[in-house]
Amino acid sequence: MIPLCIPEIRGNEWKYIKECLDTNWVSSVGKFVDKFEEEFAKYNNAKSAVVTMNGTAALQLALVTLGIGEGDEVIVPSMTFISSVNSIKYVGAVPVFVDVERDTFVMDVSKVEGLITEKTKAIMPVHIYGYPVEMDELNRIAKKHNLYVIEDATEALGTTYKGKLAGTLGDIGCFSFNGNKLITTGAGGMLITNNEEVGKRAKYLSNQTKTITENGAMHHEEIGYNFRMPNILAAMGLAQLENVDAYLEVKRRNAKLYNDLLKDVEGISLIKEVDYINNCYWLYSILVEDNFKMSRDELLELLKENGIQARPFFLPVHDMKPYYGSKCSSMEGTIDVSNRGINLPSSVSLTQEEVRKICDIIKG
Ligand SMILES: Cc1ncc(COP(=O)(O)O)c(C=O)c1O
């Protein structure tokens, strides 16, 4: 069985976690929490980082930190993992759905401005499968209409856009360390920002707005959240982060081989490559066109029969029960890629031989 995307544990994970167990620092404060935040901020060239219990919590925290709430509208793509959209609902705001581009699978920025109303407060670009949204144009629109930009960079750690890392291209960037992500803490997330005040407020809100009085009692000035990550998981995160560049190198090397082997296959479309984007290729993805020798679902079945775990693209969220009737742009791109897309195996442990085997099966 070649899995879709599994964790890679090869560094100081055991050592750092053992240190937490040996010293009893297993809960939500400790040196690894501080160090993981510090190193993650440094890696991404961000001023502040706030660790959270998962990526969904990081997104919710980003929204509350920026004061987005009841009745505010947030523009988000329909082709995403539902967490992006649910986080908007959790704060009482209203998701407004925008289409994705066929050749990148990410937010079609040309359709954003038509969705803006006086209630719009933010845009949430999602860098699906690692590919970054066209951020210069999106930031221009956001600035013109005085909107916040919260990047859902959960799938795009290490991706660069015009030399800048995903997650640092808007007001706040959010990451996930779920088991299938580039680095993992089992479950976890991170919020980053270049606005130190925003970073401080996010940290404060993530810890139940706790302050300590002179005699050592806990005081809470506002309703906060317990979004903290335990030290024991931060220890794992720090160890994973130490190897992130090596992981990225393998992802990109394997993606290049996939591209070389699949580029001339009739009926298979590959993601757009442009010189100012360095995709982290979190999940290597293809589209199955009508002129391929079998349907997308037949290809998924064939891969499964051969012990290869592949996955169809996300289904459009605007078309799921909790979001029926939401305001949307036209959705041609979303419907098309959602029907045609496949994520292929992309683990860091995936070998070049396995990539060749997968491509041979696709080529028949
Ligand atoms: C696009 C996207 N947004 C949000 C999330 C939420 O992250 P988590 O599962 O860590 O809550 C994920 C990943 O699972 C995701 O892929």
Side-chain angles (χ1 to χ4, degrees):
M1 168 80 164
I2 304 179
L4 183 65
C5 200
I6 56 169
E8 174 75 9
I9 294 162
R10 61 159 83 146
N12 286 319
E13 287 85 351
W14 280 107
K15 184 176 157 207
Y16 295 168
I17 291 171
K18 185 172 183 306
E19 187 180 325
C20 297
L21 298 175
D22 287 345
T23 58
N24 225 11
W25 284 92
V26 293
S27 198
S28 300
V29 284
K31 81 170 198 196
F32 288 111
V33 169
D34 300 341
K35 191 91 179 127
F36 187 31
E37 288 179 338
E38 199 183 301
E39 292 300 318
F40 196 82
K42 210 188 281 172
Y43 181 81
N44 287 289
N45 299 317
K47 291 215 171 92
S48 309
V50 179
V51 76
T52 58
M53 62 191 187
N54 54 53
T56 313
L59 289 165
Q60 185 179 345
L61 183 62
L63 289 157
V64 286
T65 299
L66 296 174
I68 293 158
E70 209 57 45
D72 294 337
E73 291 182 358
V74 179
I75 298 172
V76 64
S78 176
M79 214 216 45
T80 182
F81 182 56
I82 199 160
S83 283
S84 327
V85 184
N86 284 348
S87 71
I88 297 166
K89 266 295 205 209
Y90 296 158
V91 304
V94 179
V96 172
F97 293 100
V98 66
D99 203 7
V100 295
E101 298 172 330
R102 201 182 187 283
D103 51 358
T104 64
F105 324 141
V106 296
M107 180 179 270
D108 184 341
V109 175
S110 71
K111 293 189 181 176
V112 167
E113 213 159 7
L115 294 169
I116 295 172
T117 69
E118 72 280 2
K119 290 187 179 158
T120 311
K121 287 281 156 49
I123 309 172
M124 186 185 286
V126 186
H127 308 311
I128 286 292
Y129 309 137
Y131 199 92
V133 171
E134 199 48 73
M135 290 301 291
D136 275 1
E137 179 58 8
L138 191 72
N139 282 331
R140 188 193 65 76
I141 294 168
K143 198 164 172 206
K144 180 172 157 198
H145 296 273
N146 202 19
L147 306 175
Y148 289 118
V149 174
I150 298 169
E151 291 176 80
D152 180 339
T154 47
E155 303 184 353
L157 176 58
T159 285
T160 62
Y161 171 89
K162 301 189 178 171
K164 283 183 76 184
L165 282 152
T168 62
L169 301 159
D171 295 290
I172 291 181
C174 298
F175 295 86
S176 164
F177 309 126
N178 181 36
N180 60 2
K181 296 299 188 290
L182 182 65
I183 66 169
T184 184
T185 55
M190 191 80 85
L191 174 158
I192 62 173
T193 177
N194 271 314
N195 182 327
E196 276 170 292
E197 286 310 307
V198 167
K200 265 190 215 148
R201 177 142 181 88
K203 187 73 186 170
Y204 173 70
L205 287 168
S206 76
N207 191 22
Q208 297 286 25
T209 73
K210 186 172 84 182
T211 52
I212 304 293
T213 62
E214 245 171 58
N215 67 356
M218 284 181 258
H219 179 73
H220 309 269
E221 197 66 29
E222 296 174 60
I223 294 176
Y225 305 82
N226 180 5
F227 284 163
R228 300 171 305 169
M229 174 188 273
N231 199 43
I232 199 164
L233 295 189
M236 179 166 179
L238 181 66
Q240 288 268 293
L241 188 63
E242 288 169 353
N243 282 315
V244 67
D245 285 331
Y247 294 177
L248 279 167
E249 204 181 311
V250 178
K251 291 259 191 194
R252 288 179 173 137
R253 187 199 66 195
N254 283 340
K256 187 179 178 313
L257 184 59
Y258 269 129
N259 279 342
D260 289 346
L261 296 173
L262 295 176
K263 66 177 190 298
D264 296 324
V265 178
E266 199 185 331
I268 296 294
S269 293
L270 310 182
I271 200 163
K272 189 165 87 174
E273 293 272 352
V274 287
D275 58 6
Y276 58 86
I277 283 169
N278 196 5
N279 191 347
C280 71
Y281 281 104
W282 171 61
L283 285 185
Y284 185 85
S285 305
I286 56 171
L287 296 183
V288 180
E289 308 291 359
D290 289 340
N291 59 340
F292 189 62
K293 57 186 184 252
M294 62 182 82
S295 73
R296 190 273 305 264
D297 287 358
E298 285 165 351
L299 178 56
L300 281 169
E301 197 48 45
L302 177 70
L303 291 165
K304 192 171 157 195
E305 280 163 15
N306 283 278
I308 293 156
Q309 191 184 23
R311 192 170 68 183
F313 274 21
F314 294 123
L315 290 169
V317 179
H318 78 277
D319 218 11
M320 293 189 194
K321 200 167 158 199
Y323 296 107
Y324 283 168
S326 295
K327 189 170 150 194
C328 298
S329 71
S330 64
M331 284 289 167
E332 313 82 69
T334 300
I335 292 163
D336 201 35
V337 299
S338 179
N339 285 332
R340 296 183 185 284
I342 294 185
N343 305 129
L344 291 174
S346 303
S347 304
V348 171
S349 53
L350 182 74
T351 65
Q352 299 248 298
E353 210 171 55
E354 287 172 325
V355 174
R356 285 200 179 85
K357 179 181 166 190
I358 295 161
C359 294
D360 283 346
I361 290 162
I362 294 170
K363 288 196 247 182

